[in-house]
Amino acid sequence: GQLVGGNDFAKQTEQVFLNLHQILQSFGGSMQHVVKTGIFLTDASNVPLFREIRSKYVNMKNPPASTLVEVKGLFRKDILIEIEATAIIPK
């Protein structure tokens, strides 16, 4: 329940990708199984930093479909990024 990274966009973004990675692993998958992402940022000037961090976790030679939008705010004022991901994990 504690926000990682405080007001640090890079730390929050790293944590989101780590969370996604752990969730996928718990179901027998990996980031390679992600087929679609929706990214919501509160400040579009962070897009270059987001892309830099994303490239550590996502295969950019075969990336998932994605939508990135700047939003006025998220469900809490201290949250700077939200990512939703759809993955298809083979049985």
Side-chain angles (χ1 to χ4, degrees):
Q2 296 293 324
L3 177 64
V4 173
N7 201 33
D8 186 321
F9 178 81
K11 287 182 182 178
Q12 285 191 26
T13 303
E14 286 277 355
Q15 188 63 50
V16 170
F17 278 109
L18 287 171
N19 291 351
L20 287 172
H21 173 74
Q22 290 175 348
I23 292 165
L24 289 164
Q25 277 193 322
S26 74
F27 287 96
S30 72
M31 291 297 290
Q32 300 299 317
H33 295 111
V34 175
V35 295
K36 180 182 175 200
T37 59
I39 300 101
F40 305 91
L41 309 177
T42 58
D43 183 352
S45 71
N46 285 317
V47 170
L49 180 55
F50 166 78
R51 288 178 176 157
E52 179 182 324
I53 295 167
R54 175 192 62 188
S55 68
K56 296 178 193 177
Y57 297 92
V58 174
N59 176 0
M60 295 312 296
K61 291 181 181 177
N62 189 22
S66 65
T67 301
L68 186 149
V69 295
E70 181 181 34
V71 294
K72 183 176 179 179
L74 293 164
F75 73 98
R76 283 181 17 196
K77 289 185 178 192
D78 55 348
I79 295 179
L80 307 175
I81 183 169
E82 179 179 317
I83 300 175
E84 59 182 28
T86 302
I88 299 174
I89 302 171
K91 289 186 176 188

Coordinates of all heavy atoms in Angstrom, one line a residue:
G1 N 0.8 -1.2 0.0 CA 0.0 0.0 0.0 C 0.8 1.3 0.0 O 0.3 2.3 -0.1
Q2 N 2.1 1.2 0.1 CA 3.0 2.3 0.1 C 3.5 2.6 -1.3 O 3.9 1.7 -2.1 CB 4.2 2.1 1.0 CG 3.9 1.9 2.4 CD 3.3 3.1 3.1 OE1 3.7 4.3 2.7 NE2 2.3 3.0 3.9
L3 N 3.4 3.9 -1.7 CA 3.9 4.4 -3.0 C 5.4 4.3 -3.0 O 6.1 4.9 -2.2 CB 3.4 5.8 -3.3 CG 3.9 6.4 -4.7 CD1 3.3 5.6 -5.8 CD2 3.4 7.8 -4.8
V4 N 6.0 3.6 -4.0 CA 7.4 3.6 -4.2 C 7.8 4.8 -5.1 O 7.2 5.0 -6.1 CB 7.9 2.3 -4.8 CG1 9.4 2.3 -5.2 CG2 7.5 1.1 -3.9
G5 N 8.8 5.5 -4.7 CA 9.4 6.5 -5.5 C 8.9 7.9 -5.2 O 9.4 8.9 -5.8
G6 N 7.9 8.1 -4.3 CA 7.5 9.5 -4.0 C 7.2 10.3 -5.2 O 6.4 9.8 -6.1
N7 N 7.8 11.4 -5.4 CA 7.5 12.3 -6.5 C 8.5 12.0 -7.7 O 8.7 12.9 -8.5 CB 7.5 13.7 -6.1 CG 6.8 14.6 -7.0 OD1 5.8 14.2 -7.7 ND2 7.3 15.9 -7.2
D8 N 9.1 10.9 -7.7 CA 10.2 10.5 -8.7 C 9.6 9.7 -9.8 O 9.3 8.5 -9.6 CB 11.3 9.8 -8.0 CG 12.5 9.5 -8.9 OD1 12.3 9.2 -10.1 OD2 13.6 9.7 -8.4
F9 N 9.4 10.3 -11.0 CA 8.7 9.6 -12.1 C 9.5 8.3 -12.5 O 8.9 7.2 -12.7 CB 8.6 10.5 -13.3 CG 8.0 9.8 -14.5 CD1 6.7 9.6 -14.6 CD2 8.8 9.3 -15.5 CE1 6.1 9.0 -15.7 CE2 8.3 8.6 -16.6 CZ 6.9 8.5 -16.7
A10 N 10.8 8.4 -12.5 CA 11.6 7.2 -12.9 C 11.5 6.1 -11.9 O 11.3 4.9 -12.4 CB 13.1 7.6 -13.0
K11 N 11.5 6.3 -10.7 CA 11.3 5.3 -9.7 C 9.9 4.7 -9.7 O 9.8 3.5 -9.6 CB 11.6 5.8 -8.3 CG 13.1 6.1 -8.0 CD 13.4 6.5 -6.6 CE 14.9 6.8 -6.4 NZ 15.1 7.3 -5.1
Q12 N 8.9 5.5 -9.9 CA 7.6 5.0 -10.0 C 7.4 4.1 -11.2 O 6.8 3.0 -11.2 CB 6.5 6.1 -10.1 CG 6.3 6.8 -8.7 CD 5.1 7.7 -8.8 OE1 4.2 7.5 -9.5 NE2 5.1 8.7 -7.9
T13 N 8.0 4.5 -12.3 CA 7.9 3.7 -13.6 C 8.7 2.4 -13.5 O 8.1 1.4 -13.9 CB 8.5 4.6 -14.8 OG1 7.8 5.8 -14.9 CG2 8.4 3.8 -16.1
E14 N 9.9 2.4 -12.9 CA 10.6 1.2 -12.7 C 9.8 0.2 -11.8 O 9.7 -1.0 -12.1 CB 11.9 1.4 -11.9 CG 13.0 2.1 -12.8 CD 13.8 1.1 -13.6 OE1 13.6 -0.2 -13.5 OE2 14.6 1.5 -14.4
Q15 N 9.1 0.7 -10.8 CA 8.3 -0.1 -9.9 C 7.1 -0.7 -10.6 O 6.8 -1.9 -10.4 CB 7.9 0.7 -8.6 CG 7.2 -0.2 -7.6 CD 8.1 -1.2 -7.0 OE1 9.3 -0.9 -6.6 NE2 7.7 -2.5 -7.0
V16 N 6.5 0.1 -11.5 CA 5.3 -0.4 -12.2 C 5.8 -1.6 -13.1 O 5.1 -2.7 -13.1 CB 4.7 0.7 -13.1 CG1 3.7 0.1 -14.1 CG2 4.0 1.7 -12.2
F17 N 6.9 -1.5 -13.8 CA 7.4 -2.6 -14.6 C 7.8 -3.8 -13.8 O 7.6 -4.9 -14.2 CB 8.5 -2.1 -15.6 CG 8.0 -1.4 -16.8 CD1 8.1 -0.1 -17.0 CD2 7.3 -2.1 -17.8 CE1 7.6 0.6 -18.1 CE2 6.8 -1.5 -18.9 CZ 7.0 -0.2 -19.1
L18 N 8.4 -3.5 -12.6 CA 8.8 -4.6 -11.7 C 7.5 -5.3 -11.3 O 7.5 -6.6 -11.2 CB 9.6 -4.1 -10.5 CG 11.0 -3.7 -10.8 CD1 11.6 -3.0 -9.6 CD2 11.8 -4.9 -11.3
N19 N 6.5 -4.6 -10.9 CA 5.2 -5.2 -10.5 C 4.6 -6.0 -11.6 O 4.2 -7.2 -11.4 CB 4.2 -4.1 -10.1 CG 4.6 -3.4 -8.8 OD1 5.5 -3.8 -8.1 ND2 3.9 -2.3 -8.5
L20 N 4.6 -5.5 -12.8 CA 4.0 -6.2 -14.0 C 4.8 -7.5 -14.2 O 4.3 -8.6 -14.4 CB 4.1 -5.4 -15.2 CG 3.1 -4.3 -15.4 CD1 3.4 -3.4 -16.6 CD2 1.7 -4.9 -15.4
H21 N 6.2 -7.4 -14.1 CA 7.0 -8.6 -14.3 C 6.7 -9.7 -13.2 O 6.5 -10.9 -13.6 CB 8.5 -8.1 -14.2 CG 9.5 -9.3 -14.1 ND1 9.8 -10.0 -15.3 CD2 10.2 -9.8 -13.1 CE1 10.7 -10.9 -14.9 NE2 10.9 -10.8 -13.6
Q22 N 6.6 -9.3 -12.0 CA 6.3 -10.2 -10.9 C 4.9 -10.8 -11.0 O 4.7 -12.0 -10.8 CB 6.4 -9.5 -9.5 CG 7.9 -9.2 -9.2 CD 8.0 -8.4 -7.9 OE1 7.0 -7.9 -7.4 NE2 9.2 -8.3 -7.4
I23 N 3.9 -10.0 -11.4 CA 2.6 -10.6 -11.6 C 2.6 -11.6 -12.7 O 2.0 -12.7 -12.6 CB 1.6 -9.4 -11.9 CG1 1.4 -8.6 -10.7 CG2 0.2 -10.0 -12.4 CD1 0.7 -7.2 -10.9
L24 N 3.2 -11.3 -13.8 CA 3.2 -12.2 -15.0 C 4.0 -13.5 -14.6 O 3.5 -14.6 -14.9 CB 3.9 -11.6 -16.2 CG 3.1 -10.5 -16.8 CD1 4.0 -9.6 -17.8 CD2 1.9 -11.1 -17.6
Q25 N 5.1 -13.4 -13.9 CA 5.8 -14.6 -13.4 C 4.9 -15.5 -12.5 O 5.0 -16.7 -12.6 CB 7.1 -14.2 -12.7 CG 8.2 -13.9 -13.6 CD 9.5 -13.8 -12.8 OE1 9.6 -13.3 -11.7 NE2 10.6 -14.3 -13.4
S26 N 4.1 -14.8 -11.7 CA 3.3 -15.6 -10.8 C 2.3 -16.5 -11.5 O 1.7 -17.4 -11.0 CB 2.6 -14.7 -9.7 OG 1.5 -14.0 -10.3
F27 N 2.0 -16.1 -12.8 CA 1.0 -16.9 -13.6 C 1.8 -17.7 -14.7 O 1.2 -18.2 -15.6 CB 0.0 -15.9 -14.3 CG -1.0 -15.4 -13.3 CD1 -0.8 -14.1 -12.7 CD2 -2.1 -16.1 -13.0 CE1 -1.8 -13.6 -11.8 CE2 -3.0 -15.7 -12.1 CZ -2.9 -14.4 -11.5
G28 N 3.1 -17.8 -14.5 CA 3.9 -18.6 -15.5 C 4.2 -17.8 -16.8 O 4.6 -18.5 -17.8
G29 N 4.1 -16.5 -16.8 CA 4.4 -15.7 -18.0 C 5.6 -14.8 -17.8 O 6.3 -14.9 -16.8
S30 N 5.8 -14.0 -18.8 CA 6.9 -13.0 -18.7 C 6.4 -11.8 -19.5 O 5.3 -11.8 -20.1 CB 8.1 -13.6 -19.4 OG 8.0 -13.7 -20.8
M31 N 7.2 -10.8 -19.5 CA 6.9 -9.6 -20.3 C 6.8 -9.9 -21.8 O 6.1 -9.1 -22.5 CB 8.0 -8.5 -20.0 CG 8.0 -7.9 -18.6 SD 6.5 -7.1 -18.2 CE 6.6 -5.6 -19.2
Q32 N 7.4 -10.9 -22.2 CA 7.2 -11.3 -23.6 C 5.8 -11.7 -24.0 O 5.4 -11.7 -25.2 CB 8.2 -12.5 -24.0 CG 9.6 -12.2 -23.7 CD 10.1 -11.0 -24.6 OE1 9.8 -10.9 -25.8 NE2 10.9 -10.1 -24.0
H33 N 5.0 -12.0 -23.0 CA 3.6 -12.4 -23.2 C 2.6 -11.2 -23.3 O 1.4 -11.4 -23.6 CB 3.1 -13.4 -22.2 CG 3.9 -14.7 -22.2 ND1 4.7 -15.1 -21.3 CD2 3.8 -15.6 -23.2 CE1 5.2 -16.3 -21.6 NE2 4.7 -16.6 -22.8
V34 N 3.1 -10.0 -23.0 CA 2.3 -8.8 -23.1 C 2.0 -8.5 -24.5 O 2.9 -8.3 -25.3 CB 3.0 -7.6 -22.3 CG1 2.1 -6.3 -22.5 CG2 3.2 -7.9 -20.9
V35 N 0.7 -8.3 -24.8 CA 0.3 -8.0 -26.2 C -0.2 -6.6 -26.4 O -0.3 -6.1 -27.5 CB -0.7 -9.0 -26.7 CG1 -0.1 -10.4 -26.8 CG2 -2.0 -9.0 -25.9
K36 N -0.5 -6.0 -25.2 CA -1.1 -4.6 -25.3 C -0.9 -3.9 -24.0 O -1.0 -4.5 -22.9 CB -2.6 -4.6 -25.6 CG -3.2 -3.3 -25.7 CD -4.7 -3.4 -25.9 CE -5.3 -2.0 -25.9 NZ -6.8 -2.0 -25.7
T37 N -0.5 -2.6 -24.1 CA -0.4 -1.8 -22.9 C -1.1 -0.5 -23.1 O -1.2 0.1 -24.2 CB 1.1 -1.5 -22.5 OG1 1.7 -0.8 -23.6 CG2 1.9 -2.7 -22.2
G38 N -1.6 0.1 -22.0 CA -2.2 1.4 -21.9 C -1.4 2.2 -20.9 O -1.3 1.7 -19.7
I39 N -0.8 3.3 -21.3 CA 0.1 4.0 -20.4 C -0.6 5.4 -20.1 O -1.0 6.1 -21.1 CB 1.5 4.2 -21.0 CG1 2.1 2.9 -21.2 CG2 2.3 5.1 -20.0 CD1 2.1 2.4 -22.6
F40 N -0.7 5.8 -18.9 CA -1.3 7.0 -18.5 C -0.2 7.8 -17.7 O 0.2 7.4 -16.6 CB -2.5 6.8 -17.7 CG -3.5 5.9 -18.4 CD1 -3.5 4.5 -18.2 CD2 -4.5 6.5 -19.2 CE1 -4.4 3.7 -18.8 CE2 -5.4 5.6 -19.9 CZ -5.3 4.3 -19.7
L41 N 0.2 9.0 -18.2 CA 1.1 9.8 -17.6 C 0.5 11.2 -17.2 O -0.3 11.7 -17.9 CB 2.3 10.2 -18.5 CG 3.0 9.0 -19.3 CD1 4.1 9.6 -20.2 CD2 3.7 8.1 -18.3
T42 N 0.9 11.7 -16.1 CA 0.4 13.0 -15.7 C 1.2 14.2 -16.3 O 0.8 15.3 -16.2 CB 0.4 13.2 -14.2 OG1 1.7 13.0 -13.6 CG2 -0.6 12.2 -13.5
D43 N 2.3 13.8 -16.9 CA 3.2 14.9 -17.5 C 3.9 14.3 -18.8 O 4.8 13.5 -18.7 CB 4.2 15.3 -16.5 CG 5.1 16.5 -17.1 OD1 5.0 16.8 -18.3 OD2 5.9 17.0 -16.2
A44 N 3.4 14.7 -19.9 CA 4.0 14.2 -21.2 C 5.4 14.5 -21.4 O 6.1 13.8 -22.2 CB 3.1 14.7 -22.4
S45 N 6.0 15.4 -20.7 CA 7.4 15.7 -20.8 C 8.3 14.5 -20.3 O 9.5 14.4 -20.6 CB 7.8 17.0 -20.1 OG 7.8 16.8 -18.7
N46 N 7.6 13.6 -19.6 CA 8.3 12.4 -19.1 C 8.4 11.2 -20.2 O 8.9 10.2 -19.9 CB 7.7 11.9 -17.9 CG 8.0 12.7 -16.7 OD1 9.2 13.1 -16.5 ND2 7.0 13.0 -15.8
V47 N 7.8 11.4 -21.3 CA 7.8 10.4 -22.3 C 9.2 9.8 -22.7 O 9.4 8.6 -22.7 CB 7.0 10.8 -23.6 CG1 7.2 9.8 -24.7 CG2 5.5 11.0 -23.3
P48 N 10.2 10.7 -22.9 CA 11.5 10.1 -23.2 C 12.1 9.2 -22.1 O 12.6 8.2 -22.4 CB 12.4 11.4 -23.5 CG 11.4 12.4 -23.9 CD 10.1 12.1 -23.1
L49 N 11.9 9.7 -20.9 CA 12.3 8.9 -19.7 C 11.5 7.6 -19.6 O 12.1 6.5 -19.4 CB 12.2 9.7 -18.4 CG 12.6 9.0 -17.2 CD1 14.1 8.5 -17.2 CD2 12.5 10.0 -16.0
F50 N 10.2 7.6 -19.9 CA 9.4 6.4 -19.9 C 9.9 5.4 -20.9 O 10.1 4.3 -20.6 CB 7.9 6.8 -20.2 CG 7.1 5.5 -20.5 CD1 6.7 4.7 -19.5 CD2 6.9 5.2 -21.8 CE1 6.0 3.5 -19.8 CE2 6.2 4.1 -22.2 CZ 5.7 3.2 -21.2
R51 N 10.2 5.9 -22.1 CA 10.7 5.0 -23.2 C 12.0 4.4 -22.8 O 12.2 3.2 -23.1 CB 10.8 5.8 -24.5 CG 9.5 6.1 -25.1 CD 9.6 7.0 -26.3 NE 8.3 7.2 -27.0 CZ 8.0 8.2 -27.8 NH1 9.0 9.0 -28.1 NH2 6.8 8.3 -28.3
E52 N 12.9 5.1 -22.2 CA 14.2 4.6 -21.8 C 14.0 3.5 -20.8 O 14.6 2.4 -20.9 CB 15.0 5.7 -21.1 CG 16.4 5.3 -20.6 CD 17.1 6.5 -20.0 OE1 16.9 7.6 -20.4 OE2 17.8 6.2 -19.0
I53 N 13.1 3.7 -19.8 CA 12.9 2.6 -18.8 C 12.2 1.4 -19.4 O 12.5 0.3 -19.1 CB 12.1 3.2 -17.6 CG1 13.0 4.3 -16.9 CG2 11.7 2.1 -16.6 CD1 12.2 5.2 -15.9
R54 N 11.2 1.7 -20.2 CA 10.4 0.6 -20.9 C 11.3 -0.3 -21.6 O 11.1 -1.5 -21.6 CB 9.3 1.3 -21.8 CG 8.6 0.2 -22.6 CD 7.8 0.8 -23.7 NE 8.6 1.5 -24.6 CZ 8.2 2.3 -25.6 NH1 6.9 2.5 -25.8 NH2 9.0 2.9 -26.4
S55 N 12.3 0.2 -22.3 CA 13.2 -0.6 -23.1 C 14.0 -1.6 -22.3 O 14.4 -2.6 -22.9 CB 14.1 0.3 -24.0 OG 15.0 0.9 -23.2
K56 N 14.0 -1.5 -21.0 CA 14.7 -2.5 -20.2 C 13.8 -3.7 -20.0 O 14.3 -4.8 -19.6 CB 15.0 -1.9 -18.8 CG 16.0 -0.7 -18.8 CD 16.2 -0.2 -17.4 CE 16.9 1.1 -17.3 NZ 17.0 1.6 -15.9
Y57 N 12.5 -3.5 -20.1 CA 11.6 -4.6 -19.8 C 10.8 -5.1 -21.0 O 10.3 -6.2 -20.9 CB 10.5 -4.0 -18.8 CG 11.2 -3.6 -17.5 CD1 11.6 -2.4 -17.2 CD2 11.4 -4.6 -16.5 CE1 12.2 -2.0 -16.1 CE2 12.0 -4.2 -15.3 CZ 12.4 -2.9 -15.1 OH 13.0 -2.6 -13.9
V58 N 10.7 -4.4 -22.1 CA 9.9 -4.7 -23.2 C 10.8 -5.0 -24.4 O 11.7 -4.2 -24.7 CB 8.9 -3.6 -23.5 CG1 8.1 -3.9 -24.8 CG2 7.9 -3.4 -22.4
N59 N 10.5 -6.0 -25.1 CA 11.3 -6.3 -26.4 C 10.9 -5.3 -27.4 O 9.8 -5.4 -28.0 CB 11.0 -7.8 -26.8 CG 11.6 -8.1 -28.1 OD1 12.3 -7.3 -28.7 ND2 11.4 -9.3 -28.6
M60 N 11.7 -4.3 -27.7 CA 11.4 -3.3 -28.6 C 11.5 -3.7 -30.0 O 11.1 -3.0 -30.9 CB 12.2 -2.0 -28.3 CG 11.9 -1.4 -26.9 SD 10.1 -1.2 -26.5 CE 9.6 0.0 -27.8
K61 N 12.1 -4.9 -30.3 CA 12.1 -5.4 -31.7 C 10.7 -5.9 -32.1 O 10.4 -6.0 -33.2 CB 13.2 -6.4 -31.8 CG 14.6 -5.8 -31.8 CD 15.6 -6.9 -31.9 CE 17.0 -6.2 -31.8 NZ 18.1 -7.2 -31.9
N62 N 10.0 -6.4 -31.1 CA 8.6 -6.9 -31.3 C 7.7 -6.4 -30.1 O 7.3 -7.2 -29.3 CB 8.6 -8.4 -31.4 CG 7.3 -9.0 -31.8 OD1 6.5 -8.3 -32.4 ND2 7.1 -10.2 -31.4
P63 N 7.5 -5.1 -30.0 CA 6.8 -4.5 -28.9 C 5.3 -4.8 -28.9 O 4.7 -5.1 -30.0 CB 7.0 -3.0 -29.0 CG 7.2 -2.8 -30.5 CD 7.9 -4.0 -31.0
P64 N 4.6 -4.8 -27.8 CA 3.2 -4.9 -27.8 C 2.5 -3.7 -28.3 O 3.1 -2.6 -28.4 CB 2.8 -5.1 -26.3 CG 4.0 -4.4 -25.6 CD 5.2 -4.6 -26.4
A65 N 1.3 -3.8 -28.8 CA 0.5 -2.6 -29.1 C 0.4 -1.8 -27.9 O 0.3 -2.3 -26.8 CB -0.9 -3.0 -29.6
S66 N 0.4 -0.4 -28.1 CA 0.4 0.4 -26.9 C -0.3 1.7 -27.2 O -0.3 2.2 -28.4 CB 1.7 0.6 -26.3 OG 2.6 1.4 -27.2
T67 N -0.9 2.3 -26.2 CA -1.5 3.6 -26.3 C -0.9 4.4 -25.1 O -0.9 3.9 -24.0 CB -3.0 3.6 -26.1 OG1 -3.5 2.8 -27.2 CG2 -3.6 5.0 -26.2
L68 N -0.5 5.6 -25.3 CA 0.1 6.5 -24.3 C -0.7 7.8 -24.3 O -0.8 8.4 -25.3 CB 1.6 6.7 -24.5 CG 2.3 7.4 -23.3 CD1 3.7 7.0 -23.2 CD2 2.3 8.9 -23.5
V69 N -1.2 8.2 -23.1 CA -1.9 9.4 -23.1 C -1.5 10.2 -21.8 O -1.2 9.6 -20.8 CB -3.5 9.2 -23.0 CG1 -4.0 8.6 -24.3 CG2 -3.9 8.3 -21.9
E70 N -1.6 11.5 -22.0 CA -1.4 12.4 -20.8 C -2.7 12.6 -20.2 O -3.7 12.9 -20.9 CB -0.7 13.7 -21.2 CG -0.5 14.6 -20.1 CD 0.1 16.0 -20.5 OE1 -0.2 16.5 -21.6 OE2 0.9 16.5 -19.7
V71 N -2.8 12.5 -18.9 CA -4.0 12.7 -18.1 C -3.9 13.8 -17.1 O -2.7 14.1 -16.7 CB -4.5 11.4 -17.4 CG1 -4.9 10.3 -18.5 CG2 -3.5 10.9 -16.5
K72 N -4.9 14.5 -16.8 CA -4.9 15.5 -15.8 C -4.5 15.0 -14.4 O -3.8 15.7 -13.7 CB -6.3 16.2 -15.7 CG -6.4 17.4 -14.8 CD -7.7 18.0 -14.8 CE -7.8 19.2 -13.9 NZ -9.1 19.8 -13.9
G73 N -4.9 13.8 -14.1 CA -4.5 13.3 -12.8 C -4.9 11.8 -12.8 O -5.7 11.4 -13.6
L74 N -4.4 11.1 -11.8 CA -4.7 9.7 -11.6 C -5.5 9.6 -10.3 O -5.9 10.6 -9.7 CB -3.5 8.8 -11.6 CG -2.8 8.8 -13.0 CD1 -1.4 8.2 -13.0 CD2 -3.7 8.0 -14.0
F75 N -5.7 8.4 -9.8 CA -6.6 8.3 -8.6 C -6.1 8.9 -7.3 O -6.8 9.1 -6.4 CB -7.1 6.8 -8.4 CG -6.0 5.9 -7.9 CD1 -6.0 5.6 -6.6 CD2 -5.1 5.4 -8.8 CE1 -5.0 4.8 -6.1 CE2 -4.1 4.5 -8.3 CZ -4.1 4.2 -6.9
R76 N -4.7 9.1 -7.3 CA -4.1 9.9 -6.2 C -3.2 10.9 -6.8 O -2.5 10.6 -7.8 CB -3.3 8.9 -5.3 CG -4.1 8.1 -4.4 CD -3.4 7.1 -3.5 NE -2.0 7.4 -3.3 CZ -1.2 6.5 -2.8 NH1 -1.6 5.3 -2.4 NH2 0.1 6.8 -2.6
K77 N -3.1 12.0 -6.2 CA -2.2 13.1 -6.7 C -0.7 12.8 -6.7 O 0.0 13.3 -7.6 CB -2.4 14.4 -5.8 CG -3.7 15.0 -6.0 CD -3.8 16.3 -5.3 CE -5.2 17.0 -5.6 NZ -5.2 18.3 -5.1
D78 N -0.3 11.9 -5.9 CA 1.1 11.5 -5.9 C 1.5 10.4 -6.9 O 2.7 10.1 -7.0 CB 1.6 11.1 -4.5 CG 0.8 10.0 -3.9 OD1 -0.3 9.7 -4.4 OD2 1.2 9.5 -2.8
I79 N 0.6 9.9 -7.6 CA 0.9 8.9 -8.6 C 1.0 9.5 -9.9 O 0.2 10.3 -10.4 CB -0.2 7.8 -8.6 CG1 -0.2 7.1 -7.3 CG2 0.0 6.8 -9.8 CD1 -1.3 6.0 -7.1
L80 N 2.2 9.3 -10.6 CA 2.6 10.0 -11.8 C 2.4 9.1 -13.0 O 2.4 9.7 -14.1 CB 4.0 10.4 -11.7 CG 4.4 11.2 -10.4 CD1 5.9 11.5 -10.4 CD2 3.6 12.5 -10.4
I81 N 2.2 7.8 -12.9 CA 2.1 6.9 -14.0 C 1.2 5.7 -13.6 O 1.2 5.3 -12.5 CB 3.5 6.4 -14.5 CG1 3.3 5.5 -15.8 CG2 4.3 5.7 -13.4 CD1 4.6 5.2 -16.5
E82 N 0.5 5.3 -14.6 CA -0.3 4.0 -14.5 C -0.2 3.3 -15.8 O -0.2 3.9 -16.8 CB -1.8 4.4 -14.2 CG -2.6 3.1 -14.1 CD -4.1 3.5 -13.8 OE1 -4.3 4.4 -12.9 OE2 -5.0 2.9 -14.4
I83 N 0.0 2.0 -15.7 CA 0.2 1.1 -16.9 C -0.8 -0.1 -16.7 O -0.8 -0.7 -15.7 CB 1.6 0.6 -17.1 CG1 2.6 1.8 -17.2 CG2 1.6 -0.3 -18.3 CD1 4.0 1.3 -17.3
E84 N -1.6 -0.3 -17.7 CA -2.4 -1.5 -17.8 C -1.9 -2.4 -18.8 O -1.4 -1.9 -19.9 CB -3.9 -1.2 -18.0 CG -4.2 -0.4 -19.3 CD -5.6 -0.1 -19.5 OE1 -6.3 0.1 -18.5 OE2 -6.0 0.1 -20.6
A85 N -1.8 -3.6 -18.6 CA -1.2 -4.6 -19.6 C -2.2 -5.8 -19.8 O -2.8 -6.3 -18.9 CB 0.1 -5.0 -19.1
T86 N -2.2 -6.2 -21.0 CA -2.9 -7.4 -21.4 C -1.9 -8.4 -21.9 O -1.1 -8.1 -22.7 CB -3.9 -7.1 -22.5 OG1 -4.8 -6.1 -22.1 CG2 -4.7 -8.4 -22.9
A87 N -1.9 -9.6 -21.3 CA -1.0 -10.6 -21.7 C -1.7 -11.9 -22.1 O -2.8 -12.2 -21.5 CB 0.0 -10.9 -20.5
I88 N -1.1 -12.6 -23.0 CA -1.6 -14.0 -23.3 C -0.5 -15.0 -23.0 O 0.5 -15.0 -23.6 CB -2.0 -14.0 -24.8 CG1 -3.1 -13.0 -25.2 CG2 -2.4 -15.5 -25.2 CD1 -3.4 -12.9 -26.6
I89 N -0.8 -15.8 -21.9 CA 0.2 -16.7 -21.4 C -0.3 -18.1 -21.9 O -1.4 -18.5 -21.5 CB 0.3 -16.6 -19.9 CG1 0.7 -15.2 -19.5 CG2 1.3 -17.7 -19.4 CD1 0.7 -14.9 -18.0
P90 N 0.5 -18.8 -22.7 CA 0.1 -20.2 -23.1 C 0.0 -21.1 -21.9 O 0.7 -21.0 -20.9 CB 1.2 -20.6 -24.0 CG 2.0 -19.4 -24.3 CD 1.8 -18.4 -23.2
K91 N -0.9 -22.1 -22.0 CA -1.1 -23.1 -20.9 C -0.1 -24.1 -21.0 O 0.5 -24.4 -22.0 CB -2.5 -23.7 -21.0 CG -3.6 -22.7 -20.6 CD -4.9 -23.4 -20.6 CE -6.0 -22.5 -20.1 NZ -7.2 -23.1 -19.8

